[in-house]
Amino acid sequence: MMELPVVGQEQGGCSSSGCGSNSDQLSHLPENIRDKVKDHPCYSEEAHHHYARMHVAVAPACNIQCHYCNRKYDCANESRPGVVSELLTPDQAVKKVMAVAANIPQMTVLGIAGPGDPLANPERTFETFRQLTEKAPDIKLCVSTNGLSLPDQVEELCKHNIDHVTITINCVDPEVGAKIYPWIFWNNRRIKGRKGAKILIEQQQKGLEMLTERGILVKVNSVMIPGVNDEHLEEVSKVVKAKGAFLHNVMPLIAEAEHGTFFGVMGQRGPTHDELQTLQDKCAGDMNMMRHCRQCRADAVGMLGEDRGDEFTMDKVEMMDIDYEAAMQKRADYQASIEATRDAQKNNTGESFIALSSIGVRKKETRPVLMAIATTGGGVINQHFGHAKEFLIYEASPTDVRFIGHRKVDLYCTGGDTCGDAETTLQKIIRTLDGCEAVLCSKIGYEPWEQLEQAGIQPNGEHAMEPIEQAVAAVYAEMIENGVLDTPKENHELQASA
Ligand code: CLF
Ligand code: SF4
């Protein structure tokens, strides 16, 4: 009997990025690299279920203009790069990091990502890193840049033991670049159009090479802009991979007129879920892909997908009385318990695949299924449907279960008297979950259950507290056994809505 692969043994772009599995996808990496990524919520998809990151907004200036950015715009409901609420000095930033470290023991990474470009503000950025290396050596340091001044800063980055650098590379062709970057500020001059884009691209590529030569892990972020660089990003992926980038994160453009960005005002659309996934899959042939990015604010705090920034405004931080010694012990204990959970989950993952593979051998041609998962973290299904602000999307097939992204939704259950609105909100959620055939959560009310079912999405609350991939595999096996997948998906939806 042919054995089907257990999750994580599949080959492909996601395997070493950590995308797609609770099993040990990092196992093939050399130990020194594995150590650098295993607790980093952005560099390892599996780690993002367990560990948190925070950003400190110490870098106000930027040396380029992107058509998707307006740094003057500041809205508490925003969730996109280049938006910030509270600019900090390096001293304030360090205080804030220590306060968060004491209160969120799973916070393992401190990133500087704005609100401008961290390397266009080298004094503020490196002073923050210098103090943190001294005061919080257990926290990994991370930086994200547009790359224009990167080659000049590589040695300084090395001095501060920074193992993770993100470069946003949207193109390797200046013609494409001229449509994204109206100007750059270079050698005290504003350089516009193609000429500016060419310099930016050269600096990005040079910086990438210098970092990888020095063993620093480079993640490349690319914003997918339909009609502008979408068809070009496969080429970008190939080029950056050839130069040693560790991970590629293709993110959707977020552009709304009210943001006041050029693209927003001009009505440039972002990609659909399907367009994004298709491009990520194409790039994955050449590159490890990140698919769990939440396009964080420059002052984000907490697990990816949650923002606890309001708990740590500077006025609140100043009032906190923290016993750092006790806090550091608490961090160590908490992280040890996370590791025990992760180990247990890795050991468990294979079990459901034994069941799945015995069915899959018979039904090798069975179509894949998308499932939406409600979780607050920990790698398990532990959230009430009505409390979910986002759903993780997994694809189950006869050969594996893989994470493919997340979808944000409005909260269905807001409590109080707002339930009059619930029907509309529920309809929006159902639209957002388009393409999914099951939703797995810890609990769900009668009304949403009924409406989801009518829309062809089967609610399932039977796998509460189970590891996500194990549960997805089990539900997929049940669907095969019950003949649900014998009906083509389209017909199934038609029947459901009839
Ligand atoms: Fe921050 Fe970026 Fe470091 Fe992560 S975020 S500087 S690598 S610690 Fe992560 Fe946020 Fe996506 Fe960035 S989810 S926007 S990829
Ligand atoms: Fe905005 Fe960042 Fe672009 Fe600068 S590099 S314009 S801060 S998105």
Side-chain angles (χ1 to χ4, degrees):
M1 195 168 84
M2 190 187 83
E3 282 240 333
L4 287 171
V6 169
V7 181
Q9 289 176 351
E10 267 289 281
Q11 294 307 301
C14 289
S15 56
S16 58
S17 70
C19 290
S21 164
N22 277 330
S23 57
D24 196 353
Q25 290 196 328
L26 307 175
S27 58
H28 66 289
L29 294 172
E31 206 176 324
N32 64 329
I33 299 198
R34 197 182 142 82
D35 280 350
K36 286 180 187 175
V37 299
K38 73 179 178 44
D39 304 338
H40 195 308
C42 302
Y43 280 66
S44 159
E45 190 272 326
E46 189 259 333
H48 104 283
H49 295 291
H50 304 281
Y51 289 108
R53 54 75 185 102
M54 73 174 288
H55 290 164
V56 283
V58 294
C62 190
N63 46 10
I64 69 172
Q65 179 62 55
C66 305
H67 272 326
Y68 48 75
C69 177
N70 174 5
R71 276 169 295 117
K72 287 185 197 134
Y73 192 90
D74 188 349
C75 164
N77 294 320
E78 271 301 305
S79 182
R80 65 194 168 88
V83 183
V84 71
S85 299
E86 193 178 33
L87 188 69
L88 305 180
T89 64
D91 289 349
Q92 287 175 317
V94 171
K95 251 189 195 171
K96 179 168 172 172
V97 174
M98 300 306 281
V100 173
N103 286 284
I104 306 183
Q106 65 272 45
M107 189 276 286
T108 48
V109 177
L110 175 276
I112 300 184
D117 186 74
L119 300 186
N121 301 262
E123 292 81 16
R124 298 171 69 98
T125 295
F126 288 117
E127 175 57 16
T128 308
F129 284 149
R130 191 193 62 71
Q131 289 193 35
L132 284 173
T133 310
E134 226 172 75
K135 294 186 180 160
D138 70 319
I139 295 176
K140 286 188 172 64
L141 304 177
C142 194
V143 67
S144 172
T145 176
N146 61 41
L148 182 63
S149 53
L150 179 58
D152 301 335
Q153 311 285 354
V154 165
E155 294 313 326
E156 195 66 22
L157 286 165
C158 290
K159 267 193 223 156
H160 291 274
N161 284 329
I162 290 158
D163 286 330
H164 303 84
V165 175
T166 295
I167 316 172
T168 299
I169 301 180
N170 294 319
C171 54
V172 289
D173 176 350
E175 292 298 336
V176 178
K179 295 179 195 159
I180 302 170
Y181 307 106
W183 54 260
I184 67 164
F185 200 70
W186 178 247
N187 291 338
N188 300 317
R189 280 195 307 133
R190 199 175 293 261
I191 301 178
K192 295 184 186 165
R194 192 183 182 285
K195 208 170 158 198
K198 184 166 182 285
I199 296 168
L200 176 63
I201 290 166
E202 284 166 1
Q203 290 292 99
Q204 290 171 336
Q205 297 298 319
K206 188 172 167 195
L208 168 60
E209 285 167 21
M210 291 172 75
L211 289 170
T212 55
E213 272 164 18
R214 287 160 180 78
I216 293 177
L217 296 182
V218 180
K219 173 165 70 62
V220 169
N221 281 358
S222 301
V223 181
M224 179 183 179
I225 311 162
V228 175
N229 71 346
D230 49 345
E231 290 179 1
H232 177 59
L233 284 179
E234 256 186 279
E235 173 67 11
V236 171
S237 221
K238 281 185 191 142
V239 170
V240 300
K241 184 185 180 190
K243 293 192 173 162
F246 180 77
L247 192 58
H248 193 191
N249 174 23
V250 178
M251 309 182 291
L253 171 75
I254 302 172
E256 303 289 344
E258 58 267 34
H259 295 161
T261 62
F262 177 83
F263 279 148
V265 171
M266 297 306 286
Q268 169 65 53
R269 73 172 181 93
T272 63
H273 295 304
D274 282 353
E275 286 170 338
L276 180 66
Q277 195 195 325
T278 303
L279 178 59
Q280 287 173 334
D281 286 346
K282 280 185 189 164
C283 294
D286 276 281
M287 186 86 223
N288 301 325
M289 298 302 294
M290 176 181 188
R291 297 172 196 250
H292 60 285
C293 177
R294 302 302 203 277
Q295 294 176 276
C296 314
R297 294 165 56 115
D299 58 358
V301 175
M303 304 289 281
L304 302 192
E306 73 172 4
D307 194 354
R308 297 178 58 181
D310 280 355
E311 295 170 43
F312 301 96
T313 52
M314 270 329 283
D315 53 339
K316 288 180 185 157
V317 167
E318 299 288 2
M319 304 285 287
M320 288 179 190
D321 184 16
I322 295 163
D323 175 347
Y324 285 112
E325 211 170 308
M328 292 309 123
Q329 187 55 51
K330 187 171 131 198
R331 281 174 66 76
D333 293 346
Y334 194 89
Q335 291 181 18
S337 75
I338 290 177
E339 288 311 304
T341 305
R342 290 174 90 183
D343 283 345
Q345 286 179 356
K346 275 172 206 157
N347 294 336
N348 269 337
T349 310
E351 283 173 23
S352 53
F353 277 84
I354 295 167
L356 182 57
S357 64
S358 63
I359 298 162
V361 169
R362 284 191 284 110
K363 302 244 183 180
K364 265 200 308 237
E365 302 307 318
T366 305
R367 64 181 170 81
V369 166
L370 295 186
M371 298 190 203
I373 310 299
T375 175
T376 59
V380 293
I381 294 165
N382 58 0
Q383 194 171 37
H384 191 298
F385 176 85
H387 298 165
K389 289 186 189 160
E390 65 171 22
F391 290 89
L392 303 189
I393 309 296
Y394 283 74
E395 183 188 71
S397 72
T399 51
D400 74 352
V401 169
R402 64 177 187 135
F403 173 86
I404 59 167
H406 73 284
R407 297 193 193 165
K408 284 193 185 344
V409 293
D410 290 337
L411 208 54
Y412 171 62
C413 175
T414 50
D417 298 328
T418 54
C419 283
D421 243 10
E423 203 178 338
T424 327
T425 308
L426 183 54
Q427 291 308 327
K428 276 194 222 155
I429 296 174
I430 289 173
R431 237 194 353 265
T432 304
L433 297 184
D434 179 43
C436 297
E437 293 180 65
V439 57
L440 278 54
C441 50
S442 62
K443 275 189 175 171
I444 180 166
Y446 176 73
E447 193 191 339
W449 180 291
E450 207 178 24
Q451 289 200 34
L452 281 161
E453 237 178 13
Q454 279 170 9
I457 305 171
Q458 185 58 51
N460 188 317
E462 285 167 22
H463 296 273
M465 299 315 293
E466 281 181 23
I468 295 170
E469 295 192 358
Q470 201 175 320
V472 170
V475 172
Y476 187 63
E478 275 164 34
M479 289 171 100
I480 294 173
E481 283 291 89
N482 297 336
V484 175
L485 306 189
D486 296 344
T487 320
K489 184 163 174 284
E490 291 72 17
N491 290 352
H492 176 68
E493 275 168 357
L494 285 176
Q495 281 163 12
S497 59

